[in-house]
Amino acid sequence: MILESFTTGLPGKPAWQPFRYRDVNPLGGTTKVRLLGAPNPAMRLLHHRLVRFLRGLNVPMPHAVGARPAGSPVVNVRRHLYIDNRGRPARYRPNRYFLLYDLRHAYCNVDPGLLAGIICQHCPELTVQDGAVLDFLLGYCFGPNPNKPYQLELPIGQRRRGGLVQGGPASPDLFNLYVAITLDQPLGELCQRYGLTYSRYLDDLTFSSRERSIGTKKRQVIRRKIRDAGFTVSDRKAKNLDIRKGPLTINGVCLNRQGTIFCPRWYLRRIRTLVHAARKGAAVDLAALHGMMGVFTATLPRRWELVDINGRRSERRVPVGRLRIEQKTLDEYRQLQARQRRQP
C-alpha cells in the first residue's frame, strides 16, 4: 500500500533522461565529468514523495550532515570545534589533527538488496520477503551499469545494477540511510573508543583529534571498517593534516587554528564579480549565485554566546575589518534581491 501511494496520480510515466555533466565544485575548484539522470515531472514527483517517506522514518543519523535538514559544509566543520574555557572570554577552538577521506564511486557501491532490508527494518508495514521494495528501488532509484549505455526502458530483471542514479532527488536521502547503518554506526563506535570526532558530508568523511595525531594503525582500522561496508577510499583525495601548519579546507570551507570559518579568497572574488554583473544587468545564473551566497552568509563572522562549565556567559570577539569587507558584499547582494522583487 505504501509503495502504491508513490506511483498513483503521477503526470505520466516516470523516466530518466541521461546526460553527461561537467561538474565544477564552486568551493574546491575541482572538475569532474558525471553521468547524471534528469527526472521527468512524474519521476520528480515520485522521488519527492519518497523523500518525505524516508525522512518520516526518523532513523538516527548523528554523524550525517549533507542532505539533512539544516545541514551544510559549514555545519560539518563546526562539528570539529570545541569550547576552550582556559581564557576569558571562552572561545571556539578547532581540533588539531584532521583526517579527510573521500569514498570512491560511493553511489555505485550501494547494494539495493541491503538498502531494501534497511528500509523494511525501520518500516514494519513493509517486508523483504515479497521483494516489492527491491523491485521498487531497482525500477525508480537505481540505474544500470555506469560503464554501459542507459537502458532504463528494459524490464527490471534485464537491467544491470549501477548504483543510485546521480541526479535523483531521493538519492542523497537513500545514500544517507544506507551509510548511516552500514558505515556510520561502526565508525562512530570506533571513534568513540579512539577519542576522535567523526562527521560525514555525503561521501566525504572527516575525522579529527584534539591532542593525539591519527596514526597509521588507527587509519588502517578506519579503512578496514570502510571496506567492510563495501566502500573504498580515494587515495588521491585522502589527507592527514595538522591545523597548526596552516589553514585547512574541508568540503571547500576554510578553517584556521583560531577557529575562524571562512570562504577562500577566490570564492569571495567570484561572488563579488557575479553580484556586480547582475546589478549592471548582465546575464547571470541567479540560482548559482543564490547557492554561493548561502555558503557565504553561513561563514560570516558573528558574536556567539558561549556558556562555560561555570555557567558564565561570554562572547567571542569578531575582527572588525573582516566584518566590514564582507558586510559590503552582503549589502550589495541584498540590494540586488530588493531590485528583483520590485520587477514585475
Side-chain angles (χ1 to χ4, degrees):
M1 190 65 181
I2 296 179
L3 299 180
E4 294 177 357
S5 64
F6 296 146
T7 57
T8 56
L10 297 177
K13 182 180 178 181
W16 300 99
Q17 178 61 41
F19 68 98
R20 294 187 180 274
Y21 176 70
R22 186 172 176 268
D23 184 15
V24 180
N25 190 329
L27 284 171
T30 57
T31 302
K32 184 177 181 180
V33 178
R34 301 179 183 273
L35 181 61
L36 305 182
N40 65 355
M43 183 68 78
R44 185 178 296 108
L45 178 58
L46 184 148
H47 271 240
H48 288 330
R49 293 174 178 175
L50 179 58
V51 169
R52 289 195 296 268
F53 166 74
L54 294 174
R55 296 187 179 181
L57 296 178
N58 296 323
V59 179
M61 301 183 187
H63 305 289
V65 179
R68 299 289 299 163
S72 69
V74 178
V75 175
N76 182 50
V77 174
R78 286 178 180 165
R79 292 283 185 93
H80 301 269
L81 303 179
Y82 68 95
I83 299 177
D84 185 4
N85 294 299
R86 291 177 297 181
R88 293 292 183 271
R91 295 176 180 270
Y92 279 113
R93 298 288 187 186
N95 292 337
R96 176 176 177 179
Y97 300 100
F98 283 80
L99 177 64
L100 308 180
Y101 279 160
D102 179 85
L103 300 181
R104 186 171 180 267
H105 301 313
Y107 275 15
C108 295
N109 291 320
V110 176
D111 189 319
L114 185 56
L115 177 59
I118 293 173
I119 294 176
C120 296
Q121 180 183 356
H122 291 86
C123 183
E125 299 180 21
L126 299 175
T127 58
V128 185
Q129 287 75 14
D130 58 5
V133 179
L134 178 59
D135 292 343
F136 177 86
L137 293 176
L138 290 175
Y140 301 109
C141 302
F142 280 77
N145 193 310
N147 298 322
K148 298 192 178 211
Y150 266 67
Q151 296 177 326
L152 293 179
E153 68 279 359
L154 295 179
I156 291 178
Q158 300 180 20
R159 298 178 184 175
R160 293 180 178 271
R161 183 178 69 87
L164 292 170
V165 176
Q166 296 192 43
S171 294
D173 288 86
L174 289 169
F175 181 77
N176 273 335
L177 176 62
Y178 181 83
V179 178
I181 304 300
T182 60
L183 183 60
D184 286 350
Q185 288 184 358
L187 281 182
E189 297 173 357
L190 180 68
C191 291
Q192 186 176 8
R193 188 166 72 248
Y194 285 160
L196 304 179
T197 302
Y198 165 60
S199 66
R200 178 180 56 82
Y201 189 85
L202 290 179
D203 60 345
D204 295 316
L205 314 182
T206 305
F207 306 86
S208 66
S209 174
R210 187 182 303 183
E211 298 176 354
R212 296 184 178 182
S213 62
I214 306 176
T216 304
K217 293 184 178 180
K218 294 180 181 179
R219 297 198 300 269
Q220 290 176 348
V221 177
I222 291 174
R223 283 178 175 260
R224 190 181 307 121
K225 293 290 185 181
I226 295 174
R227 287 195 302 269
D228 293 342
F231 296 98
T232 56
V233 175
S234 176
D235 295 329
R236 182 175 59 87
K237 298 180 180 180
K239 297 179 181 179
N240 192 12
L241 305 171
D242 184 352
I243 200 170
R244 293 189 180 180
K245 297 181 179 180
L248 310 180
T249 301
I250 305 174
N251 298 124
V253 179
C254 299
L255 174 69
N256 61 18
R257 61 184 299 180
Q258 286 77 30
T260 303
I261 302 174
F262 57 96
C263 292
R265 291 290 182 183
W266 69 267
Y267 187 78
L268 298 178
R269 288 194 296 267
R270 177 62 177 166
I271 290 179
R272 296 189 187 108
T273 301
L274 292 177
V275 171
H276 180 74
R279 294 183 63 191
K280 294 297 183 181
V284 175
D285 188 353
L286 295 180
L289 176 59
H290 295 333
M292 298 175 71
M293 284 299 302
V295 179
F296 170 73
T297 53
T299 60
L300 279 177
R302 65 195 68 186
R303 295 188 180 278
W304 292 342
E305 273 200 349
L306 307 180
V307 181
D308 60 19
I309 56 177
N310 296 322
R312 297 180 180 178
R313 291 183 176 271
S314 58
E315 290 184 347
R316 178 186 182 185
R317 299 180 183 273
V318 176
V320 180
R322 176 171 175 261
L323 179 60
R324 186 184 303 116
I325 294 173
E326 298 186 345
Q327 188 65 41
K328 179 180 178 182
T329 303
L330 185 60
D331 292 340
E332 293 178 351
Y333 175 72
R334 288 172 177 170
Q335 293 174 8
L336 175 63
Q337 285 184 314
R339 191 178 68 179
Q340 290 177 345
R341 286 193 293 267
R342 290 195 298 267
Q343 293 178 352

